Amino acid sequence: MWDMTQLGSMMASAMFVWAIFQQWFPEELGNHIEKYVRRLLGILNPYITISFYEYNGDEYERSEAYIAIERYLSNNSSNGVKRLKANVVRNSKSIFLSMEDYEEVTDEFEGIIITWASSKIIPQQRALIAYNDGDEKRYYKLTCHRKDKDIITKVYVPHVLHEGDAISQKNRQPKLYTNGKSTRWGHILFEHPSTFDTLAMHPEKKKEILNDLMTFIESKDYYKKVGKSWKRGYLLYGPPGTGKSSMIAAMANLLNYDIYDLELTSVTDNTDLRKLLIGTSSKSIIVIEDIDCSLDLTGQRKEKKGGNKGEEKNPVHKKEKEKKKKGSKLTLSGLLNSIDGLWSACGSERLIVFTTNHVERLDPALIRRGRMDKHIELSYCCFETFKVLAKNYLDIESHELFPSISRLLEETNMTPADVAENLMPKSAEENAESCLKDLIKALENAKEEATLKAAEVYSSDGVLSDSGDEESQDADAESGESGDEESQDTDRESGNSGDSGDSGAEDSSDGDS
């Protein structure tokens, strides 16, 4: 007890002396003294330190080295740490533990003892008041003996980074990100059940897409060789309900990629868009759904030529006009440069996916090869697609009603979503046969509606055609009468000139003879 009291008195005395020193000596002198004291300690201290910061400089993305070290220390050294931070991963089935701030842990590598410390820097102006966590600068500090510097930097640190990356991939839980009104991403765990096995699509087309994806993830060296960013664009187009969103989910589950659902209507300008895209990680899918409705990116070039022609008829133009009034400055060129310009090389192993129900509305520059490398049409349900759905929903691969369904699908346009809805049992009493009969009834109704609609359109065209003929005849009669009168007047006025023309012709013929 006496020792603690004595220690407290000594610390109080030291603080008093330091306060006196600061009061009587100028700051410049204090800085010089501190510099020489540090140099002296550097000579006497045989240890060196290496710091790994969470964010380097003005970067928007977390340092990959920092993340790898965090994973490595969590997996290999957390037993010696007294205070840990917990994060639940993998559908709440496992817990990821990391070091709390200001904790230390030791690691051993080839007989060398290394000390790791987790720390952070709080801005000086916020040290005494409430501060935002985003202003903190976290970092890991490695301490080792000076004589081991070469082994630590050339062997140990690369080993830590490699092990950390491997652990990250093993425990990786895909996330679904979205952007709000700021340039930051928010996320939830991605748990969509769609896979390529359950995807309602023709088997040959499905195999083609699978081969394309697997070739992409194994082509890092090839992309580097040809001088292209390691990314690939996919354009998914087709009527609503044909499985565009399910396709994206299946891609993410196959590759274990994160999804960044980019909402363009929340982006203020090109700079904000660039910040958002820089903030995306590698091994990710950047998605812009219904791009023809998100912004009027398709009509900007046409506006220069055609002005505001047809603007009132197009709701997308109206929506874009309202957004411009609010101060939005996002442009088509800004989007193109972000996904395919110099900034697109700031990440790797990424897929960029656009979806649309109306591919004809998109600017050709937006979907050209090199930006959207592969165009995938997701159309109405065919018989091969139906068999996948029947296997998924009813667990059957054949039935006596299949031929009737095959014939009706050839004669009727029905989306896979509508087919799936009819195949899904609505009660415990329904079985496979009743669901198939419901589908046949729905297809027959759809066929009948399509026939009636076609007949109405034909009848309407016929009426319009008849009235159009009558109007045309009246117009021809009126124009004919006026044309005859004008022609007669013209002939009377030009009679003399006609005579002179004839004489001219006679002269010409004489000359020729």
mmCIF file of all heavy atoms in Angstrom, residues 287-306:
data_model
loop_
_atom_site.group_PDB
_atom_site.id
_atom_site.type_symbol
_atom_site.label_atom_id
_atom_site.label_comp_id
_atom_site.label_asym_id
_atom_site.label_seq_id
_atom_site.Cartn_x
_atom_site.Cartn_y
_atom_site.Cartn_z
ATOM 1 N N VAL A 287 -24.716 -3.897 -59.267
ATOM 2 C CA VAL A 287 -25.984 -4.075 -59.974
ATOM 3 C C VAL A 287 -26.719 -2.744 -60.104
ATOM 4 O O VAL A 287 -26.846 -2.002 -59.127
ATOM 5 C CB VAL A 287 -26.892 -5.086 -59.230
ATOM 6 C CG1 VAL A 287 -28.219 -5.254 -59.969
ATOM 7 C CG2 VAL A 287 -26.187 -6.422 -59.078
ATOM 8 N N ILE A 288 -27.186 -2.456 -61.301
ATOM 9 C CA ILE A 288 -28.113 -1.341 -61.531
ATOM 10 C C ILE A 288 -29.353 -1.946 -62.180
ATOM 11 O O ILE A 288 -29.342 -2.281 -63.369
ATOM 12 C CB ILE A 288 -27.510 -0.247 -62.424
ATOM 13 C CG1 ILE A 288 -26.189 0.266 -61.828
ATOM 14 C CG2 ILE A 288 -28.493 0.920 -62.581
ATOM 15 C CD1 ILE A 288 -25.506 1.328 -62.666
ATOM 16 N N GLU A 289 -30.399 -2.108 -61.391
ATOM 17 C CA GLU A 289 -31.629 -2.726 -61.892
ATOM 18 C C GLU A 289 -32.513 -1.685 -62.576
ATOM 19 O O GLU A 289 -32.575 -0.534 -62.151
ATOM 20 C CB GLU A 289 -32.384 -3.404 -60.757
ATOM 21 C CG GLU A 289 -31.667 -4.622 -60.199
ATOM 22 C CD GLU A 289 -32.595 -5.536 -59.423
ATOM 23 O OE1 GLU A 289 -33.195 -6.439 -60.040
ATOM 24 O OE2 GLU A 289 -32.713 -5.346 -58.200
ATOM 25 N N ASP A 290 -33.214 -2.136 -63.612
ATOM 26 C CA ASP A 290 -34.124 -1.271 -64.373
ATOM 27 C C ASP A 290 -33.438 0.046 -64.732
ATOM 28 O O ASP A 290 -33.923 1.131 -64.436
ATOM 29 C CB ASP A 290 -35.397 -0.994 -63.578
ATOM 30 C CG ASP A 290 -36.176 -2.263 -63.306
ATOM 31 O OD1 ASP A 290 -36.268 -3.095 -64.225
ATOM 32 O OD2 ASP A 290 -36.687 -2.432 -62.189
ATOM 33 N N ILE A 291 -32.309 -0.061 -65.383
ATOM 34 C CA ILE A 291 -31.501 1.128 -65.661
ATOM 35 C C ILE A 291 -32.225 2.106 -66.577
ATOM 36 O O ILE A 291 -31.987 3.320 -66.517
ATOM 37 C CB ILE A 291 -30.135 0.734 -66.267
ATOM 38 C CG1 ILE A 291 -29.202 1.957 -66.327
ATOM 39 C CG2 ILE A 291 -30.297 0.079 -67.627
ATOM 40 C CD1 ILE A 291 -27.782 1.630 -66.650
ATOM 41 N N ASP A 292 -33.154 1.609 -67.384
ATOM 42 C CA ASP A 292 -33.903 2.520 -68.257
ATOM 43 C C ASP A 292 -34.880 3.378 -67.468
ATOM 44 O O ASP A 292 -35.332 4.417 -67.962
ATOM 45 C CB ASP A 292 -34.673 1.714 -69.308
ATOM 46 C CG ASP A 292 -35.574 0.672 -68.679
ATOM 47 O OD1 ASP A 292 -35.071 -0.184 -67.933
ATOM 48 O OD2 ASP A 292 -36.785 0.704 -68.936
ATOM 49 N N CYS A 293 -35.207 2.973 -66.232
ATOM 50 C CA CYS A 293 -36.124 3.753 -65.392
ATOM 51 C C CYS A 293 -35.406 4.518 -64.290
ATOM 52 O O CYS A 293 -36.004 5.390 -63.655
ATOM 53 C CB CYS A 293 -37.160 2.829 -64.752
ATOM 54 S SG CYS A 293 -38.186 1.951 -65.935
ATOM 55 N N SER A 294 -34.141 4.168 -64.015
ATOM 56 C CA SER A 294 -33.429 4.799 -62.901
ATOM 57 C C SER A 294 -33.199 6.277 -63.155
ATOM 58 O O SER A 294 -33.433 7.119 -62.303
ATOM 59 C CB SER A 294 -32.085 4.093 -62.670
ATOM 60 O OG SER A 294 -32.293 2.754 -62.295
ATOM 61 N N LEU A 295 -32.674 6.583 -64.332
ATOM 62 C CA LEU A 295 -32.403 7.970 -64.723
ATOM 63 C C LEU A 295 -32.571 8.075 -66.235
ATOM 64 O O LEU A 295 -32.520 7.071 -66.948
ATOM 65 C CB LEU A 295 -30.972 8.386 -64.352
ATOM 66 C CG LEU A 295 -30.682 8.671 -62.876
ATOM 67 C CD1 LEU A 295 -29.213 8.973 -62.714
ATOM 68 C CD2 LEU A 295 -31.513 9.823 -62.359
ATOM 69 N N ASP A 296 -32.725 9.293 -66.715
ATOM 70 C CA ASP A 296 -32.846 9.491 -68.155
ATOM 71 C C ASP A 296 -31.459 9.527 -68.784
ATOM 72 O O ASP A 296 -31.052 10.498 -69.400
ATOM 73 C CB ASP A 296 -33.606 10.785 -68.453
ATOM 74 C CG ASP A 296 -33.852 10.941 -69.952
ATOM 75 O OD1 ASP A 296 -33.857 9.916 -70.646
ATOM 76 O OD2 ASP A 296 -34.044 12.068 -70.389
ATOM 77 N N LEU A 297 -30.724 8.434 -68.583
ATOM 78 C CA LEU A 297 -29.389 8.355 -69.163
ATOM 79 C C LEU A 297 -29.438 8.001 -70.640
ATOM 80 O O LEU A 297 -28.440 8.075 -71.330
ATOM 81 C CB LEU A 297 -28.575 7.297 -68.414
ATOM 82 C CG LEU A 297 -28.337 7.596 -66.932
ATOM 83 C CD1 LEU A 297 -27.674 6.407 -66.272
ATOM 84 C CD2 LEU A 297 -27.489 8.841 -66.762
ATOM 85 N N THR A 298 -30.605 7.580 -71.107
ATOM 86 C CA THR A 298 -30.706 7.150 -72.500
ATOM 87 C C THR A 298 -31.029 8.293 -73.432
ATOM 88 O O THR A 298 -30.797 8.209 -74.627
ATOM 89 C CB THR A 298 -31.816 6.100 -72.632
ATOM 90 O OG1 THR A 298 -33.042 6.697 -72.218
ATOM 91 C CG2 THR A 298 -31.531 4.905 -71.778
ATOM 92 N N GLY A 299 -31.601 9.387 -72.909
ATOM 93 C CA GLY A 299 -32.072 10.428 -73.799
ATOM 94 C C GLY A 299 -31.222 11.667 -73.827
ATOM 95 O O GLY A 299 -31.557 12.632 -74.494
ATOM 96 N N GLN A 300 -30.104 11.684 -73.104
ATOM 97 C CA GLN A 300 -29.315 12.903 -73.017
ATOM 98 C C GLN A 300 -28.713 13.292 -74.348
ATOM 99 O O GLN A 300 -28.631 14.452 -74.687
ATOM 100 C CB GLN A 300 -28.208 12.723 -71.976
ATOM 101 C CG GLN A 300 -28.766 12.667 -70.554
ATOM 102 C CD GLN A 300 -27.684 12.378 -69.547
ATOM 103 O OE1 GLN A 300 -26.528 12.200 -69.904
ATOM 104 N NE2 GLN A 300 -28.045 12.333 -68.282
ATOM 105 N N ARG A 301 -28.289 12.307 -75.125
ATOM 106 C CA ARG A 301 -27.695 12.637 -76.424
ATOM 107 C C ARG A 301 -28.771 13.085 -77.409
ATOM 108 O O ARG A 301 -28.566 13.972 -78.202
ATOM 109 C CB ARG A 301 -26.965 11.418 -76.982
ATOM 110 C CG ARG A 301 -25.820 10.985 -76.088
ATOM 111 C CD ARG A 301 -24.995 9.920 -76.750
ATOM 112 N NE ARG A 301 -23.885 9.534 -75.910
ATOM 113 C CZ ARG A 301 -22.883 8.764 -76.309
ATOM 114 N NH1 ARG A 301 -22.858 8.312 -77.529
ATOM 115 N NH2 ARG A 301 -21.905 8.455 -75.489
ATOM 116 N N LYS A 302 -29.940 12.450 -77.314
ATOM 117 C CA LYS A 302 -31.023 12.796 -78.234
ATOM 118 C C LYS A 302 -31.582 14.181 -77.937
ATOM 119 O O LYS A 302 -32.085 14.848 -78.824
ATOM 120 C CB LYS A 302 -32.124 11.745 -78.131
ATOM 121 C CG LYS A 302 -31.673 10.374 -78.587
ATOM 122 C CD LYS A 302 -32.790 9.359 -78.436
ATOM 123 C CE LYS A 302 -32.323 7.971 -78.853
ATOM 124 N NZ LYS A 302 -33.383 6.964 -78.677
ATOM 125 N N GLU A 303 -31.513 14.618 -76.662
ATOM 126 C CA GLU A 303 -32.045 15.924 -76.307
ATOM 127 C C GLU A 303 -31.313 17.034 -77.035
ATOM 128 O O GLU A 303 -31.878 18.049 -77.380
ATOM 129 C CB GLU A 303 -31.933 16.135 -74.797
ATOM 130 C CG GLU A 303 -32.984 15.347 -74.019
ATOM 131 C CD GLU A 303 -32.833 15.559 -72.532
ATOM 132 O OE1 GLU A 303 -31.955 16.369 -72.155
ATOM 133 O OE2 GLU A 303 -33.566 14.939 -71.768
ATOM 134 N N LYS A 304 -30.015 16.818 -77.278
ATOM 135 C CA LYS A 304 -29.237 17.852 -77.965
ATOM 136 C C LYS A 304 -29.717 18.024 -79.394
ATOM 137 O O LYS A 304 -29.668 19.108 -79.953
ATOM 138 C CB LYS A 304 -27.749 17.466 -77.947
ATOM 139 C CG LYS A 304 -27.161 17.431 -76.543
ATOM 140 C CD LYS A 304 -25.704 17.024 -76.587
ATOM 141 C CE LYS A 304 -25.101 16.954 -75.197
ATOM 142 N NZ LYS A 304 -23.693 16.532 -75.236
ATOM 143 N N LYS A 305 -30.178 16.922 -80.016
ATOM 144 C CA LYS A 305 -30.617 16.987 -81.406
ATOM 145 C C LYS A 305 -32.100 17.328 -81.509
ATOM 146 O O LYS A 305 -32.504 18.161 -82.281
ATOM 147 C CB LYS A 305 -30.349 15.640 -82.084
ATOM 148 C CG LYS A 305 -28.876 15.291 -82.163
ATOM 149 C CD LYS A 305 -28.684 13.960 -82.862
ATOM 150 C CE LYS A 305 -27.210 13.593 -82.965
ATOM 151 N NZ LYS A 305 -27.009 12.299 -83.631
ATOM 152 N N GLY A 306 -32.919 16.636 -80.691
ATOM 153 C CA GLY A 306 -34.354 16.770 -80.837
ATOM 154 C C GLY A 306 -35.020 17.669 -79.844
ATOM 155 O O GLY A 306 -36.238 17.788 -79.830
#
